[in-house]
Amino acid sequence: MGKNKLDKFYNRTIDQRIEALMTEKYLEQRPIDDFKESLILPEEIANHMIENQIGTYQLPLGLALHFLIDDKEYLLPMATEEPSVIAAASFAAKTIAVAGGFTTEITDRVMIGQIALKGIKDKEQAIHAISAAEEEIITIANEAHPSIVKRGGGACGINIRWIERDQEQDTSSFLVVHLHVETLEAMGANMINTMVEAIKPYLESLTAAKAVMGILSNYATECLATARCRIPVDVLARRGLSGVEIRDRIVEANQFAIADPYRAVTNNKGIMNGIDALVIATGNDSRAIEAGAHAYATRSGQYRSLTKWTKAENGDLIGELTIPLPIGTVGGSIGIHPGATFTHQMLGYPDAKRLEAIIVSLGLAQNFAAIRALVTDGIQKGHMALHAKSLAINAGATGDEVKKVTQALRKAEHMDLKTAEQILAKLRS
Ligand code: NDP
């Protein structure tokens, strides 16, 4: 991983980091200013991406280091506004790399489109009619978007669900038809929406019922990604705490997040700190991934931790994370946003399954870092250092002042903006 050359990456200036990446061949050699300019979203493109565009809203783009995923090394580009997320991911990845890295398992990439039918008179007859017409339904769907079939994907099956009327919630009963679609390298929202709209009238005619809507489901339960890691206890030991003690505390903390939704939400938010940052950096739809992940956390009937940490028979700590990851490597803004073009290049142009493997591993790393901090030093220690820096910048510190004000703030009685401003004023006088 060009280990020595990227050592103390965080201590370098931005230009030195870019230079090191070029020397280590993670980036092609070119003038640094050219590289920086290549990441800027041109107004012309931004204006075509959304409506009523008036400017761009930028996020810092950083790199998480030390990731070893299925025996391959990666630097992960992350777009985030939150301090300490990238540091935590890198720290966790370094520990996990020592223990052999992440292994992943990715299911087939099958996305789901739904058509909800209302006013079904004879449920059994409707289900029978739809089941018998499965082939025709698939044909109509594929004829609506033939190019994906030519590429080797397309609609491949249906699933029928009956949702009973719920008096308490005042909802009707629905017959829901799921269309399963292999979307290959795309997330597939647009092709699926085209397909479900095409089969809607046919389903209405088969059932003499009214279709409420046809739309993609972001609950992509047929497109799951799992990352695992296995960490020997001697790798876990740190500052006066044995590896066994830390392992047991991590397992216990995880059990708390499995049992209590109040903790689970914060636990899963931490997982999404990393996942969102990489999903955004690669031009993917973070809202789709967030919605699907949180829904998946409720699959047992209660909102729970998405990760599971257990003790192996030989005493190792085993971590596992599974989430739906309907991302793409084509489509949406991926091919037109220069930042996304860069991040796909940085990752070595992974295909969609590989990108899923990378993203889910980052989520597991993020969770490991957060839980380990919580059961040892607490997370405030690391956070406050970065918070001090942010206060120094907010107070107006620039250049060398940032470091000086940050250091003084960390020793001050109160770490707040007023104190930062006072320190800066004193420094300048
Ligand atoms: P696009 O429609 O932009 O792109 C997908 C298209 O890329 C395919 O239809 C296909 O078109 C083409 N393509 C080229 N190479 C491949 C390949 N190897 N595998 C698959 N397709 C390929 O995007 P998506 O349909 O993926 O939708 C994603 C966008 O939709 C995102 O911007 C998302 O935010 C948005 N969206 C999300 C919704 C949601 O609920 N999550 C709802 C609506 C929109 P062809 O074969 O014709 O060349």
Side-chain angles (χ1 to χ4, degrees):
M1 195 176 282
K3 195 168 170 263
N4 298 328
K5 298 279 170 53
L6 296 188
D7 247 7
K8 302 265 183 264
F9 198 65
Y10 55 89
N11 272 341
R12 303 185 190 196
T13 63
I14 298 172
D15 286 7
Q16 285 169 343
R17 289 177 198 145
I18 296 169
E19 237 168 57
L21 291 168
M22 287 179 183
T23 311
E24 287 300 293
K25 301 197 174 4
Y26 288 104
L27 299 179
E28 58 166 330
Q29 284 286 350
R30 63 201 285 200
I32 289 178
D33 285 345
D34 277 10
F35 167 75
K36 288 181 182 169
E37 221 167 278
S38 74
L39 292 178
I40 295 169
L41 178 63
E43 198 172 274
E44 166 80 8
I45 294 179
N47 191 32
H48 288 305
M49 284 172 72
I50 59 161
E51 309 72 41
N52 301 346
Q53 191 253 346
I54 55 162
T56 53
Y57 177 93
Q58 299 180 331
L59 280 176
L61 180 71
L63 289 180
L65 311 180
H66 311 300
F67 274 81
L68 181 64
I69 304 168
D70 300 320
D71 295 325
K72 197 165 181 273
E73 294 170 349
Y74 292 93
L75 304 181
L76 306 191
M78 298 170 71
T80 180
E81 89 298 346
E82 189 171 340
S84 82
V85 168
I86 294 177
S90 303
F91 157 77
K94 197 172 187 177
T95 306
I96 294 168
V98 171
F102 301 89
T103 53
T104 65
E105 201 178 308
I106 312 297
T107 64
D108 285 340
R109 289 177 43 80
V110 176
M111 310 300 169
I112 299 168
Q114 345 181 252
I115 301 100
L117 298 156
K118 194 182 159 189
I120 298 281
K121 301 231 161 40
D122 184 339
K123 174 180 147 190
E124 296 311 322
Q125 183 278 331
I127 292 174
H128 182 263
I130 295 168
S131 301
E134 176 167 358
E135 251 180 63
E136 182 61 14
I137 293 168
I138 291 171
T139 303
I140 297 171
N142 282 332
E143 278 171 357
H145 201 104
S147 55
I148 193 67
V149 182
K150 279 202 202 107
R151 291 181 190 280
C156 55
I158 64 166
N159 183 27
I160 306 168
R161 296 166 54 227
W162 176 257
I163 297 179
E164 197 54 62
R165 174 166 184 253
D166 185 333
Q167 265 178 309
E168 204 182 313
Q169 299 296 325
D170 192 24
T171 60
S172 313
S173 55
F174 296 97
L175 183 66
V176 185
V177 181
H178 281 193
L179 181 71
H180 288 190
V181 184
E182 286 179 39
T183 59
L184 305 179
E185 287 301 301
M187 181 247 200
N190 292 315
M191 72 178 83
I192 289 173
N193 290 341
T194 305
M195 287 180 177
V196 288
E197 296 219 340
I199 61 177
K200 217 164 67 170
Y202 182 56
L203 291 176
E204 286 180 326
S205 72
L206 279 176
T207 56
K210 180 97 191 84
V212 181
M213 69 173 76
I215 180 77
L216 155 99
S217 170
N218 284 300
Y219 194 25
T221 52
E222 307 298 314
C223 179
L224 298 176
T226 299
R228 297 187 182 90
C229 63
R230 185 179 184 117
I231 313 173
V233 283
D234 57 325
V235 177
L236 286 171
R238 114 181 254 250
R239 273 196 235 133
L241 283 173
S242 74
V244 169
E245 207 167 347
I246 293 181
R247 177 204 63 203
D248 291 346
R249 288 185 189 188
I250 288 175
V251 170
E252 194 175 61
N254 178 240
Q255 286 175 2
F256 173 37
I258 289 171
D260 178 21
Y262 281 84
R263 169 62 201 142
V265 170
T266 316
N267 178 78
N268 293 345
K269 185 272 179 188
I271 294 170
M272 301 314 286
N273 275 343
I275 289 180
D276 278 351
L278 183 47
V279 165
I280 290 169
T282 54
N284 274 288
D285 183 340
S286 57
R287 290 82 56 207
I289 303 304
E290 276 275 347
H294 294 295
Y296 197 66
T298 67
R299 67 195 182 283
S300 68
Q302 183 191 309
Y303 189 94
R304 299 182 193 280
S305 167
L306 284 161
T307 46
K308 183 141 194 167
W309 294 93
T310 51
K311 176 181 149 186
E313 257 174 38
N314 72 348
D316 291 353
L317 175 68
I318 294 183
E320 184 174 313
L321 169 64
T322 300
I323 48 166
L325 266 180
I327 47 79
T329 59
V330 297
S333 69
I334 295 168
I336 52 175
H337 192 295
T341 306
F342 163 71
T343 57
H344 284 262
Q345 181 206 339
M346 185 84 219
L347 292 168
Y349 296 110
D351 65 13
K353 280 191 168 188
R354 189 96 288 269
L355 184 55
E356 284 185 48
I358 297 168
I359 295 171
V360 72
S361 299
L362 174 57
L364 186 58
Q366 214 75 58
N367 188 240
F368 173 73
I371 306 189
R372 188 171 121 148
L374 281 169
V375 299
T376 54
D377 297 335
I379 59 165
Q380 274 317 81
K381 194 174 164 202
H383 270 251
M384 289 319 273
L386 290 156
H387 182 52
K389 192 169 168 187
S390 155
L391 284 172
I393 294 166
N394 266 305
T398 54
D400 286 352
E401 290 172 343
V402 177
K403 199 169 176 185
K404 288 178 184 158
V405 175
T406 304
Q407 278 170 351
L409 250 185
R410 292 186 66 186
K411 289 183 198 139
E413 195 181 343
H414 301 291
M415 196 187 283
D416 53 27
L417 186 59
K418 202 166 161 221
T419 314
E421 284 167 349
Q422 284 165 353
I423 295 169
L424 182 63
K426 202 168 154 201
L427 188 74
R428 284 181 177 171
S429 69

